[in-house]
Amino acid sequence: AVLAGGGLYVAEGITATDTNSTYEGNTSANGAGVYNAGIYTTTGTTYTNNTATNNGGAINNVGTLNVSNGTFTSNNAVNGAGIYNSANSTVTIKDNSAINNNTATKSGGGLYNLGTADIQNGTTFTGNTAGENGGGLYAGGQTTINGAKFTNNSAVLAGGGLYVAEGITATD
């Protein structure tokens, strides 16, 4: 897809459930794997080698995103190579989801959050990189972390594991 949703596009007002699927090698400007403007719930799904020329290598969320036991590996984007969560959007990541080895040329190798993010229950951020800030996670919006692990993430400027933007409160 040229603009959004290389693998899947969930339109506003739509509720989609995705279980044990694979999104691999997709390309798009935004949301190379999935572009979500509705309510997207994914369980046990794998997102690998997806490339966005703008935001959201695996997923670009502008709606409500629920991830359970998801695997995000080797995705690429300018911001949010694993997941890009827009302002006024909500993402919940839980149940041992793994966000590994994703690369953002700017910020948020694993996750770039401008909205509301709830990260819990054994979620891991490992080996993600950012050319600017937040190798594992860029927190530019309300971010709650409970039981997550950040390992071997890197950023050129600041926040290899986690970068909390000015004026933002992250709760752990």
mmCIF file of all heavy atoms in Angstrom, residues 35-66:
data_model
loop_
_atom_site.group_PDB
_atom_site.id
_atom_site.type_symbol
_atom_site.label_atom_id
_atom_site.label_comp_id
_atom_site.label_asym_id
_atom_site.label_seq_id
_atom_site.Cartn_x
_atom_site.Cartn_y
_atom_site.Cartn_z
ATOM 1 N N TYR A 35 -2.347 -0.645 9.691
ATOM 2 C CA TYR A 35 -2.758 0.719 10.023
ATOM 3 C C TYR A 35 -4.123 0.603 10.664
ATOM 4 O O TYR A 35 -5.069 0.095 10.051
ATOM 5 C CB TYR A 35 -2.832 1.600 8.772
ATOM 6 C CG TYR A 35 -3.158 3.042 9.088
ATOM 7 C CD1 TYR A 35 -2.136 3.957 9.306
ATOM 8 C CD2 TYR A 35 -4.475 3.481 9.178
ATOM 9 C CE1 TYR A 35 -2.419 5.283 9.609
ATOM 10 C CE2 TYR A 35 -4.769 4.797 9.489
ATOM 11 C CZ TYR A 35 -3.738 5.702 9.692
ATOM 12 O OH TYR A 35 -4.018 7.006 9.999
ATOM 13 N N ASN A 36 -4.234 1.030 11.930
ATOM 14 C CA ASN A 36 -5.482 0.903 12.660
ATOM 15 C C ASN A 36 -6.086 2.248 13.007
ATOM 16 O O ASN A 36 -5.502 3.038 13.736
ATOM 17 C CB ASN A 36 -5.271 0.114 13.958
ATOM 18 C CG ASN A 36 -6.546 0.054 14.773
ATOM 19 O OD1 ASN A 36 -7.600 -0.316 14.261
ATOM 20 N ND2 ASN A 36 -6.456 0.451 16.033
ATOM 21 N N ALA A 37 -7.308 2.488 12.504
ATOM 22 C CA ALA A 37 -8.066 3.683 12.856
ATOM 23 C C ALA A 37 -9.318 3.308 13.650
ATOM 24 O O ALA A 37 -10.071 4.175 14.070
ATOM 25 C CB ALA A 37 -8.460 4.454 11.594
ATOM 26 N N GLY A 38 -9.538 2.003 13.854
ATOM 27 C CA GLY A 38 -10.710 1.513 14.578
ATOM 28 C C GLY A 38 -10.317 0.925 15.912
ATOM 29 O O GLY A 38 -9.572 1.531 16.678
ATOM 30 N N ILE A 39 -10.836 -0.272 16.181
ATOM 31 C CA ILE A 39 -10.462 -1.038 17.374
ATOM 32 C C ILE A 39 -9.856 -2.340 16.873
ATOM 33 O O ILE A 39 -10.536 -3.150 16.229
ATOM 34 C CB ILE A 39 -11.676 -1.322 18.277
ATOM 35 C CG1 ILE A 39 -12.303 -0.004 18.748
ATOM 36 C CG2 ILE A 39 -11.260 -2.185 19.469
ATOM 37 C CD1 ILE A 39 -13.642 -0.182 19.463
ATOM 38 N N TYR A 40 -8.575 -2.542 17.133
ATOM 39 C CA TYR A 40 -7.852 -3.710 16.632
ATOM 40 C C TYR A 40 -7.292 -4.480 17.820
ATOM 41 O O TYR A 40 -6.507 -3.946 18.599
ATOM 42 C CB TYR A 40 -6.736 -3.251 15.699
ATOM 43 C CG TYR A 40 -5.840 -4.339 15.154
ATOM 44 C CD1 TYR A 40 -6.358 -5.433 14.462
ATOM 45 C CD2 TYR A 40 -4.458 -4.264 15.293
ATOM 46 C CE1 TYR A 40 -5.536 -6.410 13.938
ATOM 47 C CE2 TYR A 40 -3.619 -5.231 14.770
ATOM 48 C CZ TYR A 40 -4.164 -6.312 14.094
ATOM 49 O OH TYR A 40 -3.338 -7.279 13.584
ATOM 50 N N THR A 41 -7.738 -5.732 17.961
ATOM 51 C CA THR A 41 -7.262 -6.612 19.027
ATOM 52 C C THR A 41 -6.504 -7.761 18.380
ATOM 53 O O THR A 41 -7.051 -8.470 17.525
ATOM 54 C CB THR A 41 -8.436 -7.143 19.871
ATOM 55 O OG1 THR A 41 -9.117 -6.017 20.443
ATOM 56 C CG2 THR A 41 -7.947 -8.056 20.974
ATOM 57 N N THR A 42 -5.255 -7.926 18.796
ATOM 58 C CA THR A 42 -4.404 -8.945 18.199
ATOM 59 C C THR A 42 -3.805 -9.836 19.288
ATOM 60 O O THR A 42 -3.325 -9.342 20.309
ATOM 61 C CB THR A 42 -3.312 -8.298 17.318
ATOM 62 O OG1 THR A 42 -2.435 -9.308 16.836
ATOM 63 C CG2 THR A 42 -2.524 -7.246 18.064
ATOM 64 N N THR A 43 -3.860 -11.154 19.061
ATOM 65 C CA THR A 43 -3.342 -12.126 20.023
ATOM 66 C C THR A 43 -2.448 -13.123 19.297
ATOM 67 O O THR A 43 -2.855 -13.730 18.306
ATOM 68 C CB THR A 43 -4.502 -12.887 20.701
ATOM 69 O OG1 THR A 43 -5.385 -11.934 21.310
ATOM 70 C CG2 THR A 43 -3.983 -13.846 21.762
ATOM 71 N N GLY A 44 -1.215 -13.266 19.786
ATOM 72 C CA GLY A 44 -0.300 -14.262 19.226
ATOM 73 C C GLY A 44 0.151 -13.978 17.817
ATOM 74 O O GLY A 44 0.578 -14.890 17.100
ATOM 75 N N THR A 45 0.075 -12.748 17.385
ATOM 76 C CA THR A 45 0.418 -12.390 16.004
ATOM 77 C C THR A 45 1.868 -11.927 15.914
ATOM 78 O O THR A 45 2.400 -11.325 16.844
ATOM 79 C CB THR A 45 -0.557 -11.320 15.478
ATOM 80 O OG1 THR A 45 -1.873 -11.900 15.456
ATOM 81 C CG2 THR A 45 -0.195 -10.857 14.086
ATOM 82 N N THR A 46 2.503 -12.206 14.778
ATOM 83 C CA THR A 46 3.907 -11.874 14.533
ATOM 84 C C THR A 46 4.011 -10.832 13.431
ATOM 85 O O THR A 46 3.371 -10.962 12.382
ATOM 86 C CB THR A 46 4.688 -13.144 14.121
ATOM 87 O OG1 THR A 46 4.580 -14.104 15.175
ATOM 88 C CG2 THR A 46 6.144 -12.837 13.857
ATOM 89 N N TYR A 47 4.828 -9.809 13.684
ATOM 90 C CA TYR A 47 5.083 -8.718 12.737
ATOM 91 C C TYR A 47 6.587 -8.673 12.508
ATOM 92 O O TYR A 47 7.340 -8.342 13.430
ATOM 93 C CB TYR A 47 4.597 -7.382 13.312
ATOM 94 C CG TYR A 47 3.151 -7.418 13.755
ATOM 95 C CD1 TYR A 47 2.802 -7.877 15.017
ATOM 96 C CD2 TYR A 47 2.144 -6.996 12.894
ATOM 97 C CE1 TYR A 47 1.477 -7.921 15.417
ATOM 98 C CE2 TYR A 47 0.810 -7.037 13.288
ATOM 99 C CZ TYR A 47 0.483 -7.506 14.547
ATOM 100 O OH TYR A 47 -0.821 -7.550 14.951
ATOM 101 N N THR A 48 7.024 -9.002 11.286
ATOM 102 C CA THR A 48 8.458 -9.132 11.008
ATOM 103 C C THR A 48 8.837 -8.459 9.693
ATOM 104 O O THR A 48 8.145 -8.625 8.684
ATOM 105 C CB THR A 48 8.850 -10.627 10.927
ATOM 106 O OG1 THR A 48 8.427 -11.281 12.118
ATOM 107 C CG2 THR A 48 10.351 -10.797 10.769
ATOM 108 N N ASN A 49 9.935 -7.711 9.722
ATOM 109 C CA ASN A 49 10.518 -7.113 8.512
ATOM 110 C C ASN A 49 9.540 -6.239 7.720
ATOM 111 O O ASN A 49 9.556 -6.239 6.489
ATOM 112 C CB ASN A 49 11.099 -8.192 7.592
ATOM 113 C CG ASN A 49 12.287 -8.880 8.209
ATOM 114 O OD1 ASN A 49 13.136 -8.247 8.833
ATOM 115 N ND2 ASN A 49 12.350 -10.197 8.054
ATOM 116 N N ASN A 50 8.710 -5.487 8.416
ATOM 117 C CA ASN A 50 7.827 -4.524 7.766
ATOM 118 C C ASN A 50 8.507 -3.164 7.786
ATOM 119 O O ASN A 50 9.169 -2.810 8.759
ATOM 120 C CB ASN A 50 6.492 -4.458 8.504
ATOM 121 C CG ASN A 50 5.773 -5.791 8.467
ATOM 122 O OD1 ASN A 50 5.285 -6.209 7.421
ATOM 123 N ND2 ASN A 50 5.721 -6.480 9.598
ATOM 124 N N THR A 51 8.352 -2.382 6.712
ATOM 125 C CA THR A 51 9.052 -1.100 6.604
ATOM 126 C C THR A 51 8.098 0.016 6.217
ATOM 127 O O THR A 51 7.467 -0.021 5.165
ATOM 128 C CB THR A 51 10.182 -1.189 5.564
ATOM 129 O OG1 THR A 51 11.100 -2.220 5.974
ATOM 130 C CG2 THR A 51 10.923 0.137 5.450
ATOM 131 N N ALA A 52 8.022 1.031 7.117
ATOM 132 C CA ALA A 52 7.230 2.234 6.839
ATOM 133 C C ALA A 52 8.191 3.370 6.513
ATOM 134 O O ALA A 52 9.173 3.576 7.221
ATOM 135 C CB ALA A 52 6.376 2.603 8.044
ATOM 136 N N THR A 53 7.903 4.095 5.448
ATOM 137 C CA THR A 53 8.749 5.235 5.094
ATOM 138 C C THR A 53 8.471 6.429 5.988
ATOM 139 O O THR A 53 9.217 7.412 5.964
ATOM 140 C CB THR A 53 8.555 5.632 3.619
ATOM 141 O OG1 THR A 53 7.157 5.877 3.388
ATOM 142 C CG2 THR A 53 9.046 4.515 2.699
ATOM 143 N N ASN A 54 7.430 6.349 6.808
ATOM 144 C CA ASN A 54 7.122 7.396 7.781
ATOM 145 C C ASN A 54 7.004 6.747 9.164
ATOM 146 O O ASN A 54 8.013 6.431 9.763
ATOM 147 C CB ASN A 54 5.850 8.154 7.370
ATOM 148 C CG ASN A 54 5.699 9.488 8.074
ATOM 149 O OD1 ASN A 54 6.643 10.018 8.642
ATOM 150 N ND2 ASN A 54 4.496 10.018 8.052
ATOM 151 N N ASN A 55 5.803 6.518 9.679
ATOM 152 C CA ASN A 55 5.606 6.030 11.048
ATOM 153 C C ASN A 55 4.935 4.664 11.114
ATOM 154 O O ASN A 55 4.052 4.363 10.336
ATOM 155 C CB ASN A 55 4.758 7.039 11.832
ATOM 156 C CG ASN A 55 5.420 8.394 11.937
ATOM 157 O OD1 ASN A 55 6.625 8.488 12.132
ATOM 158 N ND2 ASN A 55 4.629 9.451 11.821
ATOM 159 N N GLY A 56 5.367 3.871 12.105
ATOM 160 C CA GLY A 56 4.727 2.586 12.359
ATOM 161 C C GLY A 56 5.178 1.482 11.445
ATOM 162 O O GLY A 56 4.440 1.078 10.551
ATOM 163 N N GLY A 57 6.363 0.951 11.685
ATOM 164 C CA GLY A 57 6.873 -0.151 10.861
ATOM 165 C C GLY A 57 5.943 -1.354 10.888
ATOM 166 O O GLY A 57 5.522 -1.845 9.850
ATOM 167 N N ALA A 58 5.617 -1.838 12.092
ATOM 168 C CA ALA A 58 4.687 -2.961 12.212
ATOM 169 C C ALA A 58 3.250 -2.465 12.282
ATOM 170 O O ALA A 58 2.394 -2.912 11.527
ATOM 171 C CB ALA A 58 5.018 -3.798 13.445
ATOM 172 N N ILE A 59 2.975 -1.517 13.230
ATOM 173 C CA ILE A 59 1.615 -1.001 13.401
ATOM 174 C C ILE A 59 1.644 0.510 13.602
ATOM 175 O O ILE A 59 2.416 1.023 14.410
ATOM 176 C CB ILE A 59 0.901 -1.639 14.619
ATOM 177 C CG1 ILE A 59 0.772 -3.158 14.452
ATOM 178 C CG2 ILE A 59 -0.479 -1.015 14.824
ATOM 179 C CD1 ILE A 59 0.168 -3.875 15.657
ATOM 180 N N ASN A 60 0.759 1.200 12.891
ATOM 181 C CA ASN A 60 0.499 2.622 13.134
ATOM 182 C C ASN A 60 -0.917 2.692 13.675
ATOM 183 O O ASN A 60 -1.875 2.349 12.983
ATOM 184 C CB ASN A 60 0.637 3.445 11.851
ATOM 185 C CG ASN A 60 0.535 4.937 12.110
ATOM 186 O OD1 ASN A 60 -0.250 5.392 12.927
ATOM 187 N ND2 ASN A 60 1.326 5.699 11.388
ATOM 188 N N ASN A 61 -1.043 3.119 14.938
ATOM 189 C CA ASN A 61 -2.347 3.152 15.598
ATOM 190 C C ASN A 61 -2.848 4.571 15.774
ATOM 191 O O ASN A 61 -2.194 5.396 16.399
ATOM 192 C CB ASN A 61 -2.240 2.477 16.974
ATOM 193 C CG ASN A 61 -3.566 2.466 17.694
ATOM 194 O OD1 ASN A 61 -4.580 2.050 17.139
ATOM 195 N ND2 ASN A 61 -3.567 2.926 18.933
ATOM 196 N N VAL A 62 -4.035 4.843 15.225
ATOM 197 C CA VAL A 62 -4.712 6.121 15.449
ATOM 198 C C VAL A 62 -6.086 5.872 16.084
ATOM 199 O O VAL A 62 -6.931 6.755 16.109
ATOM 200 C CB VAL A 62 -4.838 6.963 14.145
ATOM 201 C CG1 VAL A 62 -3.473 7.302 13.600
ATOM 202 C CG2 VAL A 62 -5.684 6.249 13.112
ATOM 203 N N GLY A 63 -6.286 4.652 16.600
ATOM 204 C CA GLY A 63 -7.539 4.262 17.249
ATOM 205 C C GLY A 63 -7.262 3.624 18.587
ATOM 206 O O GLY A 63 -6.567 4.188 19.429
ATOM 207 N N THR A 64 -7.800 2.405 18.777
ATOM 208 C CA THR A 64 -7.572 1.625 19.993
ATOM 209 C C THR A 64 -6.917 0.310 19.593
ATOM 210 O O THR A 64 -7.455 -0.433 18.770
ATOM 211 C CB THR A 64 -8.907 1.347 20.728
ATOM 212 O OG1 THR A 64 -9.493 2.601 21.084
ATOM 213 C CG2 THR A 64 -8.675 0.527 21.983
ATOM 214 N N LEU A 65 -5.764 0.039 20.194
ATOM 215 C CA LEU A 65 -4.974 -1.146 19.872
ATOM 216 C C LEU A 65 -4.751 -1.967 21.135
ATOM 217 O O LEU A 65 -4.298 -1.442 22.149
ATOM 218 C CB LEU A 65 -3.623 -0.722 19.281
ATOM 219 C CG LEU A 65 -2.574 -1.804 19.057
ATOM 220 C CD1 LEU A 65 -3.053 -2.851 18.051
ATOM 221 C CD2 LEU A 65 -1.269 -1.161 18.583
ATOM 222 N N ASN A 66 -5.074 -3.271 21.050
ATOM 223 C CA ASN A 66 -4.852 -4.202 22.158
ATOM 224 C C ASN A 66 -3.969 -5.340 21.656
ATOM 225 O O ASN A 66 -4.368 -6.084 20.753
ATOM 226 C CB ASN A 66 -6.184 -4.774 22.657
ATOM 227 C CG ASN A 66 -7.109 -3.685 23.149
ATOM 228 O OD1 ASN A 66 -6.799 -2.976 24.085
ATOM 229 N ND2 ASN A 66 -8.251 -3.540 22.477
#
